[in-house]
Amino acid sequence: MIRTMAVVGTGLIGTSIGLAVSRHGVRVHLLDKDEAAARTAAALGAGVLGAPDESADLAVIAVPPGAVGAVLARMQARGLARTYTDVASVKAQTARDIWKSGGTSASYVGGHPLAGRERGGPLAARADLFEDRPWVLTPSETTSQDAVNRVFEMIALCGAIPAIMGDRAHDDAVALASHAPHVVASLMAARLEHGSRASFRLAGQALRDVTRMAVRDTELWNDILQANAPAVAGVLRELRDDLTTLMATLDDLSTAPLDTRGQTLEPMVDLLNRGAAGLAAIQERQVADRQTYVQVPVPEGPGQLVRLLDVLRTLQVEQEDAVPRYSAEEDTLFLVFEVPALRAGQIVRELGGAGWNAESVSADQVSVARNAAGRAADQFHVA
């Protein structure tokens, strides 16, 4: 069980981790070369200033990717903690840096919480920043199971959902899902530096959406892009090829006679259709992620259903979202409710810890339950 933690780096992520675990009684020690940042984090309630007198159970290295290796080696040399993890958004280069810096891999678990905000610093920190968000771990072959278990426990305290990935698979995934989009947003925002006053007057939601993730902390993002350069370059290279095709089509349209322009539209229409297909794919994935159901048997006896509904409310599951299902074969009443796929496992575990025998069920069972409820309403003319 984690009783003490150290957080090295009190920016948005480090301070948010301190706030999250402090709520559960963990004593957090805050370290940062920026005295103002550390004191701000402490004043917010993220922990206490300074290193612990004895080795902490877990230390989180919350510094930019390029600094993780050196900082980890220093912290391990001083015995700051028994287990270490980091929050860098690039893992393969970080692992190489740790090896070069002489860090010990057995007590280290690579980590990356996929959560953030548009602004950084301790004042932007939130205790609920990681709730229901993926938190990737990239343990090496030499990482001890005890180290992994301690980081799992911290992730649970933060309300996040752990996922195990390899270093390179992680970096390829975030290049497409995060790093390249930030770059594209910055490139579009750069067009505005010398924009006309008329353009600014006409700026609407579309421009705000496409530039919202433009890089503000250029020092941090220089570090990230250096560390994940091959993967990001691969995504941007494909984007460049599509832009080249689109530009050629637009140039042709600019010079073609009006009565022949329809003949040159195909490449542009194809690109727009592919964009629509990509958007539909991620929306379908998000919908699929929501189609996860949890079933809980309701014991016989007065007050049992009410007690279960009270527990569900603490897990942000509303009474109206639950569907009753009666199994004649088992002579048991069940409550079935839909939850995000990322939360399903956590909710089942929390219900189990509270004494309820919860399990995941298929959408077919939910459909049967809803149809049965509908037939009962028709039979008894329930309005």
Side-chain angles (χ1 to χ4, degrees):
M1 180 177 179
I2 295 177
R3 292 183 174 84
T4 58
M5 276 180 53
V7 174
V8 184
T10 51
L12 167 65
I13 300 299
T15 303
S16 294
I17 291 173
L19 291 172
V21 301
S22 293
R23 296 183 302 178
H24 300 279
V26 177
R27 183 172 176 81
V28 180
H29 295 263
L30 305 171
L31 296 85
D32 199 310
K33 63 181 182 180
D34 184 340
E35 185 74 13
R39 289 186 176 276
T40 300
L44 290 171
V48 297
L49 292 173
D53 294 331
E54 300 178 350
S55 293
D57 296 318
L58 174 65
V60 179
I61 310 301
V63 300
V68 171
V71 171
L72 175 66
R74 290 202 304 272
M75 295 304 112
Q76 288 181 328
R78 66 186 286 186
L80 180 65
R82 294 198 294 274
T83 297
Y84 301 83
T85 189
D86 72 312
V87 297
S89 64
V90 183
K91 306 310 327 163
Q93 182 62 51
T94 300
R96 290 192 291 269
D97 290 344
I98 290 170
W99 180 78
K100 291 178 183 177
S101 299
T104 303
S105 59
S107 62
Y108 164 74
V109 187
H112 177 208
L114 278 85
R117 303 188 69 187
E118 294 169 30
R119 298 192 179 278
L123 287 176
R126 292 172 46 175
D128 62 353
L129 183 67
F130 311 104
E131 289 184 4
D132 301 329
R133 300 298 302 163
W135 195 311
V136 177
L137 298 183
T138 57
S140 69
E141 294 179 357
T142 59
T143 302
S144 73
Q145 189 58 50
D146 284 345
V148 174
N149 290 342
R150 286 194 185 99
V151 181
F152 272 148
E153 183 179 349
M154 179 198 68
I155 291 172
L157 294 177
C158 290
I161 311 299
I164 302 292
M165 296 181 72
D167 291 345
R168 178 49 59 193
H170 165 273
D171 291 356
D172 289 343
V174 295
L176 176 61
S178 175
H179 297 169
H182 277 81
V183 172
V184 173
S186 292
L187 293 176
M188 188 62 210
R191 310 278 69 75
L192 305 176
E193 184 178 9
H194 303 294
S196 68
R197 187 170 299 177
S199 297
F200 293 146
R201 283 202 302 267
L202 297 177
Q205 191 61 46
L207 184 62
R208 287 191 290 271
D209 285 345
V210 80
T211 59
R212 183 174 59 86
M213 297 307 296
V215 168
R216 291 178 173 86
D217 188 342
T218 55
E219 183 178 354
L220 170 63
W221 274 92
N222 282 336
D223 200 359
I224 290 172
L225 294 176
Q226 287 183 58
N228 204 23
V232 177
V235 177
L236 295 178
R237 193 170 291 113
E238 293 177 349
L239 183 62
R240 178 201 61 191
D241 294 342
D242 284 344
L243 283 173
T244 300
T245 299
L246 179 59
M247 288 167 57
T249 303
L250 293 173
D251 287 340
D252 289 344
L253 287 170
S254 299
T255 58
L258 290 176
D259 58 350
T260 63
R261 287 186 177 181
Q263 301 171 14
T264 62
L265 285 175
E266 185 175 347
M268 183 171 67
V269 172
D270 177 63
L271 286 173
L272 295 176
N273 284 338
R274 284 169 48 204
L279 180 60
I282 193 170
Q283 290 174 338
E284 288 173 5
R285 179 67 266 169
Q286 290 168 343
V287 169
D289 285 344
R290 292 195 296 270
Q291 301 304 312
T292 299
Y293 299 90
V294 173
Q295 172 177 275
V296 187
V298 183
E300 293 186 1
Q304 294 291 342
L305 178 58
V306 173
R307 189 166 67 89
L308 173 58
L309 292 173
D310 287 342
V311 173
L312 292 181
R313 274 191 290 273
T314 67
L315 300 175
Q316 287 78 52
V317 177
E318 295 301 326
Q319 174 176 328
E320 295 80 3
D321 296 330
V323 178
R325 182 179 77 83
Y326 175 71
S327 170
E329 181 179 347
E330 301 174 73
D331 190 25
T332 302
L333 176 68
F334 295 88
L335 276 191
V336 184
F337 51 91
E338 181 182 359
V339 295
L342 288 173
R343 291 192 62 208
Q346 179 187 7
I347 286 177
V348 168
R349 289 192 297 272
E350 291 191 14
L351 285 170
W356 299 93
N357 186 25
E359 63 176 348
S360 296
V361 295
S362 69
D364 291 340
Q365 290 173 278
V366 178
S367 178
V368 169
R370 285 175 172 162
N371 290 339
R375 288 194 298 272
D378 290 340
Q379 180 179 353
F380 292 101
H381 304 293
V382 178

